[in-house]
Amino acid sequence: MEEDILIQISNRIKERRREKNITVQELAVRANVSKGLISQIENSRTIPSLIVLIDIIKALEIDLNEFFKDMRSKSNHPPVLVKRKHEYDHFEKEHADGFHYQRIFTQSISQSTVDIVILELEPDASRPLVETEAFEYKYILSGQIAYQFNDDTITLNQGDSMLFDGRIPHTPKNMGDTTASMLVIYFFEEKK
């Protein structure tokens, strides 16, 4: 993500928190993070992980679509959050041998619908750019997939993931010569 998008995210968190008359401490408690982390994020001194960013937005009781609405970089590219396989958080859930957990994404869901699908792309699969009325989370199960967003392309490999506003025109393309597959989760938020 470009630096100006990070500054916009930081500023928007600070603005929304102040609009709602919430202290830094209150927001930290609601988002289950430290007060220092909120302060660092608001002052653009640290980049929040995808999980922390979503938790903060939810703690501010802001619709995800509304939070990212009109957010653009100087080059006018849309905000797309990419998380590479090596960036996932490893953790242990219980005492067990051979169980390897990786937290790739956490989402609290209230007043929303979640649609979870597996998408397989043949090597020659194609479609025009499309839009959906949901946030879309993609996790690449196999292969290499290039996602086209208007004039921007993001290439994802097995184990990489991405979250974006589906209202941004987009389409995937299989970059390999065998079938590629991905886990797709659509988050449809009900309008208030």
Side-chain angles (χ1 to χ4, degrees):
M1 238 180 351
E2 295 183 24
E3 187 176 334
D4 58 314
I5 289 291
L6 296 174
I7 292 170
Q8 288 179 59
I9 288 172
S10 299
N11 290 340
R12 195 159 290 183
I13 288 170
K14 187 187 301 183
E15 289 166 10
R16 297 300 187 266
R17 179 182 61 76
R18 289 177 175 168
E19 285 172 9
K20 293 181 175 284
N21 292 319
I22 299 171
T23 66
V24 170
Q25 180 63 45
E26 287 171 323
L27 179 57
V29 169
R30 289 182 187 187
N32 200 27
V33 297
S34 71
K35 178 180 176 182
L37 180 60
I38 296 291
S39 178
Q40 289 179 337
I41 291 168
E42 285 189 356
N43 292 302
S44 304
R45 290 196 311 265
T46 191
I47 301 167
S49 70
L50 177 61
I51 295 165
V52 170
L53 177 59
I54 297 295
D55 286 346
I56 291 170
I57 294 168
K58 288 295 188 180
L60 289 168
E61 299 175 345
I62 300 169
D63 177 273
L64 286 171
N65 292 321
E66 186 63 31
F67 182 85
F68 289 106
K69 184 180 178 186
D70 302 325
M71 194 176 290
R72 296 287 181 264
S73 69
K74 290 175 187 165
S75 59
N76 213 25
H77 291 294
V80 177
L81 304 176
V82 176
K83 196 163 189 185
R84 302 294 179 188
K85 183 178 181 179
H86 68 275
E87 297 174 318
Y88 298 149
D89 297 321
H90 297 270
F91 69 98
E92 289 186 24
K93 197 169 183 180
E94 67 261 331
H95 299 290
D97 291 329
F99 283 69
H100 304 281
Y101 291 97
Q102 293 184 76
R103 179 164 290 114
I104 57 175
F105 183 73
T106 301
Q107 172 68 47
S108 61
I109 301 169
S110 64
Q111 297 184 340
S112 63
T113 300
V114 176
D115 189 19
I116 303 172
V117 301
I118 298 288
L119 172 60
E120 294 182 339
L121 290 175
E122 297 297 326
D124 57 353
S126 67
R127 73 167 190 210
L129 295 174
V130 299
E131 298 176 29
T132 57
E133 287 296 320
F135 267 78
E136 297 188 26
Y137 175 78
K138 314 288 182 167
Y139 177 86
I140 308 306
L141 298 169
S142 66
Q144 183 181 67
I145 297 173
Y147 253 89
Q148 181 74 39
F149 295 94
N150 293 319
D151 299 326
D152 196 18
T153 301
I154 297 174
T155 302
L156 302 170
N157 295 300
Q158 180 178 340
D160 290 341
S161 62
M162 173 174 63
L163 175 72
F164 63 92
D165 185 338
R167 294 174 299 182
I168 302 165
H170 62 279
T171 193
K173 179 172 177 48
N174 182 347
M175 301 305 290
D177 53 9
T178 60
T179 301
S181 65
M182 71 179 100
L183 173 70
V184 182
I185 305 175
Y186 299 95
F187 295 94
F188 297 93
E189 295 195 324
E190 295 177 7
K191 302 298 179 197
K192 295 177 182 174

